[in-house]
Structures are given as C-alpha cells and as structure tokens.
Amino acid sequence: KTVVIPGCSSGIGLALAVRLARDKQRRFRVIATMRNVGRSGALAAAAGPALGRTLEIKKLDVCDEASIRACLDSIPGRHVHVLVSNAGVGMAGPLECQSLEAMKNLMDTNFFGLVRLVKEVLPDMKRRRGGHIVVISSIMGLQGIVFNDIYAASKFAVEGFCESLVVQALRFNVAISLVEPGPVVTEFETKLYEEAERADYSRTDPETAEIFTNLYLRNSRDVFASLGQTPEDIAEHTLRVIEAARPPFRHQTNVAYTPLAALKHADPSGAL
C-alpha cells in the first residue's frame, strides 16, 4: 500500500514513517513528506536501509495546493491507499496574547491543511472504491483544555469535518479514522512550552498571566512527565488502525483520557 504522511521531519510523523517503512512484511511504500526537505536528516538517519527502498522523502506543504498536487502527481496514477494527515502546529497561552495572524496560520495548517489533502486524494479513492484517511487529531478535539483555546478549536474543526465526511466516504468504501492522542513528548511540544515560558504576557491581566505561568505551565510539565506517550507509542497505535479489517472511526491512544470523552457525552447540558 502506498502511504502518504505529511509532517515527517520530527515527532509522530517521523516515527510512523519509519515504523511503516521498516515493516517486516514490507506491506507499505511510504511517501514521507515535509514542508522543508532540508530538515530530512533525522528521518533519513532513522530510516536507515529503508530509505530509497520502502521510504521516499518528498516535499509537501499542506498550506500550498500546488505543492500538494505536485507531490501527488509524482505518485503513479496518483493512487494513495492510505493518507495520514499529521502536519500540525500548536499554540498555548492567554487569548489576549495571541495574534489573529498566528491563529489564522494555525487554522490554515491544522484544519485547512487536512481539507486540502482530502480534496486531492478523495476523488481517486472514491473511483477505486477503496482507501483510508487517517487523521492525527487530539483528545483536545473532544475536550477543550484551558489556555489551548485556538488549538482545541482547530481540532474540534477537524473532528466535525471528519464526522460529517465519513458518512459519504463509507458509501464508497473509503474509511476515515481519527487517532486522538493525549500528551505526547515530542520536539513539537517541547518547543511550544519553551516559547510559552519566554512569551510576553503584558497584554493580559496579571492574574491570568500568573495562572498561566505558575499553574498551567507547571502542571503541564507534570502531566507530560506522568502521562505523556512517545511518538513511537502513537506510531504503534496508528499502525493498528491502518491494519484493522474494519478501521475504527475514533481511536484514543491514552486510556487515562477516555473517561473525559465519555463524561462529556454523558453530560449534554455541560453542567459538570
């Protein structure tokens, strides 16, 4: 199966690309993509002998339709059996301290990036009456978390988009799966929290700034230390979703967060 994975320069994308490319049964031809192929060194090193055999590195920017088309045009017949939408950016902090421009860029990557990818691969999957779209979502697509307003909004958008689209896709034997991790210890998260610690919070009130810096950030470190998964863990979960004879629509990777999702559905008024 040809598997296209955007966002492979680090983290979950890198781990998944390597895991599939080094599959002992050689079931996958992995097209590992990234916006800047100059950052492919870590992926190439981790792939080892799989590079050039079961793994190819290509340029793909999910915010650029021409870039997506050029990458897909390089695949014979444009036949993508599995698309793993993984590219994403994060944002955490008081709302007043975030620029609208940064918010738009986040939505452009996290939500519209997925939409652009699906628009390009879905027609061929429908024609072939087969295919699998796997979306790396987040538990924050089910449950809003304080100080993650815009990131959670992007993942809520992803969840609503997929929940709406899956009914049509199933008519054509195309599966859609949402993989929903909780905290994952990656370069992505580390950079996000380092930037948050250095940021300027003068545009919000002192009480909010104090809560974010001294309660939220400290608590987040503890949560990541105690509950955080590795990118390799998420890659294994995603592989199980890809392998499934009847792929699940939603798959949560961390059982510690499943009660949160269940509780929300059991609480239609939001009173809890």
Side-chain angles (χ1 to χ4, degrees):
K1 292 183 175 181
T2 297
V3 185
V4 173
I5 313 173
C8 289
S9 61
S10 64
I12 294 169
L14 187 154
L16 180 61
V18 171
R19 178 66 183 86
L20 297 184
R22 300 180 80 168
D23 178 59
K24 289 177 181 174
Q25 300 171 57
R26 294 171 71 94
R27 292 172 292 173
F28 307 107
R29 175 198 176 205
V30 180
I31 311 295
T33 78
M34 58 194 70
R35 185 172 53 186
N36 178 7
V37 291
R39 296 187 61 213
S40 63
L43 173 60
L51 184 63
R53 295 179 182 175
T54 52
L55 184 142
E56 297 174 56
I57 298 173
K58 292 182 183 286
K59 177 181 172 62
L60 188 154
D61 180 354
V62 299
C63 295
D64 183 344
E65 289 177 82
S67 172
I68 295 171
R69 289 195 192 107
C71 180
L72 294 177
D73 286 345
S74 72
I75 298 169
R78 282 180 137 243
H79 293 335
V80 176
H81 299 97
V82 182
L83 167 70
V84 182
S85 178
N86 167 72
V89 294
M91 178 182 286
L95 183 66
E96 306 95 309
C97 301
Q98 314 291 349
S99 73
L100 277 172
E101 195 60 36
M103 295 178 194
K104 289 176 182 177
N105 288 339
L106 181 144
M107 291 297 293
D108 197 33
T109 301
N110 293 7
F111 176 64
F112 287 107
L114 166 65
V115 174
R116 291 183 190 101
L117 289 165
V118 171
K119 279 189 72 177
E120 287 296 324
V121 302
L122 189 60
D124 181 65
M125 288 183 174
K126 288 166 77 173
R127 273 192 298 271
R128 289 187 289 111
R129 294 194 173 256
H132 194 179
I133 296 167
V134 180
V135 181
I136 306 299
S137 181
S138 169
I139 200 71
M140 279 194 254
L142 299 173
Q143 178 81 50
I145 303 291
V146 65
F147 292 121
N148 285 269
D149 327 88
I150 306 304
Y151 181 77
S154 73
K155 292 301 184 179
F156 267 66
V158 163
E159 295 267 336
F161 172 72
C162 292
E163 194 168 289
S164 302
L165 188 63
V166 69
V167 179
Q168 179 201 147
L170 286 171
R171 180 75 172 79
F172 293 88
N173 196 38
V174 175
I176 296 178
S177 298
L178 289 154
V179 176
E180 299 161 335
V184 184
V185 182
T186 66
E187 183 185 307
F188 173 95
E189 297 291 346
T190 304
K191 184 181 175 188
L192 180 65
Y193 286 103
E194 284 175 354
E195 289 174 353
E197 286 174 347
R198 295 193 304 266
D200 173 17
Y201 298 112
S202 60
R203 282 174 291 171
T204 190
D205 58 278
E207 185 177 357
T208 299
E210 171 79 9
I211 292 168
F212 177 67
T213 54
N214 290 334
L215 289 178
Y216 174 82
L217 287 179
R218 188 182 304 161
N219 184 60
S220 289
R221 282 196 206 93
D222 293 341
V223 167
F224 273 81
S226 59
L227 295 174
Q229 293 178 276
T230 66
E232 290 73 23
D233 288 337
I234 308 305
E236 290 296 334
H237 278 272
T238 306
L239 174 59
R240 291 207 292 273
V241 168
I242 291 170
E243 289 176 324
R246 290 175 61 87
F249 176 58
R250 285 193 170 94
H251 176 83
Q252 285 143 41
T253 68
N254 192 326
V255 294
Y257 285 85
T258 303
L260 272 176
L263 189 62
K264 182 170 179 176
H265 285 291
D267 178 34
S269 73
L272 291 175

